[in-house]
Amino acid sequence: MAGKILIIGACGQIGTELTLKLRNLYGNQNVIASDIKEGSRELMESGPFEPADANDARRVEALLDQYNISQVYLMAAMLSATAEKAPMKAWSLNMDSLFHILNFAKDKKIEKVFWPSSIAVFGPTTPKNDTPQTTIMEPTTVYGISKQTGERWCEYFHNKYGVDVRSLRYPGIISYKTLPGGGTTDYAIEIFHGALKNNGYTSFLAEDTGLPMMYMDDAIKATVDIMEAPSHKIRVRSSYNLSALSFTPKILAEAIQKEMPEFKIAYEPDFRQKIADSWPSSIDDSEARKDWQWKHDFDLESLVNEMLGGVSEQLRAEK
Ligand SMILES: NC(=O)c1ccc[n+]([C@@H]2O[C@H](COP(=O)([O-])OP(=O)(O)OC[C@H]3O[C@@H](n4cnc5c(N)ncnc54)[C@H](O)[C@@H]3O)[C@@H](O)[C@H]2O)c1
């Protein structure tokens, strides 16, 4: 690798595990974490960390120069549920930070960019099952509008200026190392904490709300794989559909009950139900599977086992 990697928003749910994985692959000193807040001990101690606001283009540029950065992973964003409470702030963070990075890539200051999109780009008029790569997209949340717009700009910068930008429409990502940042699929993480702390959980989504989901290790694998694929294999320069599992709160609760028969679930849908209702239930990701050989590893049973094991270990360590 010619230059180093900068991860912006490295201390969040996905950024933390992505940073650790990239350090493992490319060397601790070659992967620079940055965020507006400090991250976990493992992240802070395993390699360089630089405080930086993704919207501060001058600060980001200084980091590119200081560390001879060739690749940027832009993970900073305001997520779906939080963004609905501060739409203008979400728009400004989600869009301006992307423009800064795309312009640095256009000016050849960096060679390659990863920017995550989301299933939130879809809306109530999108076909709900096996949602195709190319389809109707009329998102109704500010988060979804910002991701859809971001996708258009990524494709534009690629077509017009040759920018090597790569993107995935992540589904709900399930993990235990870092708490989630305010998304609509967070119930599928909280449920494990509820199960192990109180033997019960009240879901903020209704029992039959099916959504596309993925275990963190698969999301990290997809991210590394798309970034390592030869450029000519990346035919979609807006963002790839990406899929592993689809389940409802009821199906997840039943899978947990197989391991913990005493676990009880209740349902009290809140404002997030409306967001979930506007999203697909399942995604067709055959283009990613065909173009750069994407393949997931974790099914529902292995996800539940990993989550129960990981969260229990964390609770033991906290005691
Ligand atoms: N987690 C999911 O299920 C999911 C699903 C679809 C898409 N995504 C996308 O993946 C990316 C990462 O998501 P995540 O779940 O890790 O989010 P998160 O909220 O857990 O982490 C985002 C990180 O960005 C940092 N940040 C916020 N404002 C910043 C700023 N101005 N400058 C620098 N850093 C800032 C936060 O401190 C946080 O550490 C986002 O673009 C998100 O939209 C996530």
Side-chain angles (χ1 to χ4, degrees), residues 7-16 19 34-36 52 54 73-77:
I7 304 178
I8 300 174
C11 300
Q13 189 202 354
I14 303 176
T16 299
T19 303
S34 79
D35 203 297
I36 44 170
Y73 290 69
L74 175 56
M75 309 306 285

Side-chain angles (χ1 to χ4, degrees), residues 190-229:
E190 293 171 4
I191 194 170
F192 291 97
H193 293 263
L196 290 160
K197 282 188 205 150
N198 315 315
N199 263 329
Y201 176 67
T202 302
S203 168
F204 59 74
L205 296 184
E207 62 180 331
D208 55 353
T209 312
L211 288 172
M213 301 278 189
M214 179 176 287
Y215 188 57
M216 178 65 85
D217 292 23
D218 275 334
I220 300 295
K221 183 171 90 154
T223 309
V224 171
D225 284 358
I226 194 177
M227 285 298 272
E228 284 195 338

